[in-house]
Amino acid sequence: MTTRRLLLTLAIASAAGLAANDARPAEQPTGKPHILMILADDLGWGDVGFHGGEIKTPNLDRLAFSGARLEQFNVQPVCSPTRAALMTGRYPMRHGLQVGVVRPWAQYGLPLEERTLPQALKEAGYATAICGKWHLGHFQPEYLPTRRGFDRQYGHYNGAIDYFTHQRDGGHDWHRDDKACYDQGYSTFLLADEAVRIIRQHNLAKPLFLYLAFNAVHAPHQVPPAYVEPYRHLDEPRRTYAGMVAAMDEAIGRVLAALEERRMRQRTLVVFSSDNGGPAPGRVTSNGRYRAGKGTLYEGGVRVAACAAWEGHIKPGTVVDQPLHIVDWYPTLLKLAGAPLDQKLPLDGRDAWPTITQGKPSPHDEIVLNAAPASGAILVGQWKLVIRGGLGTAEDQQAEAKPRGKRAKASEPIELFNLAVDPYEKENLAPKHPEKVQELRARYKRLAAQAVPPKAAPKPSGFRSPKVWGHGE
């Protein structure tokens, strides 16, 4: 080989090596971020390291401090309503999903006329996938994730599955592309495995929307023994719960590492949130000093640990102390993705990007925290009006679902809080500020009048669990 030919060969090889090692701008679409939406289940506000919690969450801490901690981020009091709000940008009172959750036997789900987040992102050219908990109905094929905008599905339809057997009430609840799947393993790790697989196989010519919805750390409280050992000083059930949080954090770290391996991290907006506040605070979870927990309209039920990170777009160390709601991610993500916001059903969500990235005030004049027949809450600035805010028991939820004429007349205690000076809701200011109560009550009534009746219903008499949860398998 001549010297000239040798040099030419080396130059070609060098150029090929550089191209192979720098796939970031060449193979990824310009201006459309990849989106990784991570949703934890029943995580307490105080059970993350970035809120000073005793449970070690190094991966979530790095994520939070690399971007923005959303310190007044609101969700619904329980699981399905929060997921409905995320998927549609609309309050669950508009879906009839404002009370309780979608049970395995429920003959309803997220209404089919709703345009979902993955459907809208597909219109903008995204590949879409869900790994984890759906919880928005499965009684007919049309309600399954692959019919609601997801190209790929892996995980379970219902809440409270066994982490190892993947059973719920005697029925198998683990599916791939909406067909029964019998993969063996701890569900938190199986979901992370699938998310990593999707990232590694993804065609970088398309933007990716990956919705990673863990069943962790919802009951039943189960985790491999090695994760409990560091927390043996805690009493049960918090000891096992702590191990579950640590296992979920490890799983999240693996997924973030996969983004780094594919050189996707710089072009990925990563969002993390819990779906509601922690249940049984003090015994199982910690919501910090916030009042009460899951199933209530107090801050411990609706203010959750949340953060967002995107290198070069969200300044590291940002703290957002403005009221936002999970409905806001729908319009925010669609705008970032270049997807059209025009649709038949109007949105409750608002574009939160200026608030997160520029320090602008909340885009909301008011936030409806819920509107059910016998309870509700509204947030106007830092003033919060709560009507029967402690609603959370199964009996209360069944009472909510009954038509007004068939319900026993419930008391309607009104509470008013100024979260700017009393975020822990210790002093009810309603007696001192009747004019503020009247103002917020009028706003609430106007919006609550738009609610549709709740779809929640008790288990049918004589119902028998199928061998596989789904749509008649």
Side-chain angles (χ1 to χ4, degrees):
M1 182 180 290
T2 64
T3 302
R4 182 177 179 182
R5 183 175 293 177
L6 177 61
L7 291 173
L8 180 61
T9 301
L10 291 172
I12 292 172
S14 176
L18 287 172
N21 289 326
D22 192 9
R24 283 172 292 184
E27 296 184 19
Q28 294 186 358
T30 302
K32 293 181 187 285
H34 301 299
I35 301 166
L36 171 58
M37 173 69 67
I38 306 172
L39 199 65
D41 198 340
D42 281 11
L43 178 69
W45 185 93
D47 289 326
V48 290
F50 63 86
H51 283 160
E54 64 183 336
I55 303 171
K56 291 180 172 27
T57 56
N59 295 295
L60 281 173
D61 298 346
R62 278 193 292 272
L63 179 67
F65 288 110
S66 70
R69 286 165 282 158
L70 310 179
E71 298 293 17
Q72 283 202 63
F73 191 75
N74 295 279
V75 295
Q76 300 300 124
V78 290
C79 308
S80 293
T82 290
R83 293 159 205 274
L86 171 63
M87 286 291 108
T88 64
R90 288 161 47 81
Y91 293 134
M93 68 178 190
R94 305 193 189 281
H95 313 134
L97 300 180
Q98 68 270 51
V99 174
V101 300
V102 180
R103 301 292 181 181
W105 56 82
Q107 298 299 294
Y108 63 86
L110 182 68
L112 297 179
E113 64 267 22
E114 295 287 341
R115 180 194 190 207
T116 69
L117 180 58
Q119 286 171 338
L121 290 173
K122 279 174 69 72
E123 294 173 22
Y126 275 71
T128 59
I130 176 174
C131 297
K133 178 178 172 182
W134 174 234
H135 219 189
L136 290 173
H138 58 72
F139 77 108
Q140 292 178 353
E142 292 77 15
Y143 288 81
L144 299 179
T146 55
R147 306 288 186 95
R148 307 307 299 268
F150 287 106
D151 298 321
R152 300 172 68 174
Q153 176 273 335
Y154 183 77
H156 51 113
Y157 299 147
N158 300 293
I161 66 164
D162 186 287
Y163 283 73
F164 295 99
T165 68
H166 315 144
Q167 296 240 330
R168 165 70 193 264
D169 294 344
H172 182 76
D173 193 3
W174 203 256
H175 299 76
R176 179 183 293 280
D177 295 334
D178 290 324
K179 294 180 176 60
C181 171
Y182 294 89
D183 289 349
Q184 301 294 307
Y186 185 61
S187 60
T188 300
F189 296 152
L190 287 178
L191 297 178
D193 290 344
E194 182 68 12
V196 168
R197 186 178 299 113
I198 288 170
I199 291 168
R200 287 177 174 167
Q201 296 176 354
H202 180 64
N203 177 4
L204 294 177
K206 294 189 74 171
L208 172 66
F209 171 58
L210 176 55
Y211 176 38
L212 178 55
F214 288 105
N215 56 314
V217 284
H218 195 291
H221 297 124
Q222 301 169 316
V223 73
Y227 293 88
V228 178
E229 183 62 22
Y231 301 100
R232 59 185 180 276
H233 61 285
L234 300 177
D235 294 332
E236 289 289 7
R238 181 159 176 77
R239 180 189 306 152
T240 297
Y241 167 84
M244 295 171 71
V245 174
M248 181 182 68
D249 182 80
E250 179 186 297
I252 290 170
R254 289 178 46 221
V255 176
L256 296 177
L259 290 175
E260 296 282 2
E261 291 168 9
R262 288 298 311 276
R263 298 186 176 183
M264 295 169 66
R265 184 67 185 273
Q266 286 185 326
R267 294 195 61 86
T268 300
L269 168 60
V270 182
V271 178
F272 173 82
S273 172
S274 180
D275 63 348
N276 46 248
R283 189 174 70 88
V284 180
T285 68
S286 169
N287 291 319
R289 296 170 62 190
Y290 293 111
R291 182 177 176 182
K294 176 182 178 177
T296 77
L297 290 163
Y298 300 117
E299 293 296 280
V302 297
R303 185 190 295 221
V304 295
C307 61
W310 182 9
E311 186 176 335
H313 298 267
I314 302 177
K315 185 179 178 181
T318 296
V319 176
V320 178
D321 202 15
Q322 290 287 316
L324 298 173
H325 192 277
I326 200 161
V327 291
D328 297 331
W329 278 123
Y330 183 99
T332 302
L333 296 179
L334 263 57
K335 187 172 181 181
L336 290 172
L341 281 169
D342 294 334
Q343 59 182 54
K344 179 179 67 174
L345 299 173
L347 297 177
D348 295 303
R350 301 289 182 266
D351 180 11
W353 202 239
T355 304
I356 295 171
T357 61
Q358 301 171 32
K360 300 289 186 182
S362 171
H364 290 278
D365 294 326
E366 60 212 358
I367 293 175
V368 178
L369 297 172
N370 205 28
S375 69
I378 188 170
L379 184 62
V380 179
Q382 295 295 329
W383 287 98
K384 180 178 177 182
L385 184 76
V386 180
I387 303 166
R388 202 176 176 217
L391 188 75
T393 67
E395 291 78 10
D396 281 338
Q397 290 172 1
Q398 288 182 9
E400 283 274 22
K402 292 180 181 179
R404 287 186 181 274
K406 295 183 179 181
R407 281 190 288 112
K409 187 174 181 181
S411 60
E412 193 177 70
I414 300 291
E415 296 173 283
L416 177 71
F417 304 102
N418 184 343
L419 299 182
V421 296
D422 181 23
Y424 309 121
E425 298 169 306
K426 293 182 177 180
E427 183 181 7
N428 178 12
L429 297 176
K432 295 181 180 179
H433 297 280
E435 75 293 340
K436 184 59 72 172
V437 170
Q438 185 177 5
E439 175 197 338
L440 268 63
R441 187 80 173 106
R443 284 185 181 232
Y444 175 80
K445 281 187 173 181
R446 172 177 55 82
L447 291 161
Q450 302 170 25
V452 301
K455 292 181 169 66
K459 183 187 293 188
S461 60
F463 179 86
R464 296 182 64 183
S465 299
K467 292 183 179 179
V468 178
W469 288 111
H471 48 91
E473 292 110 316

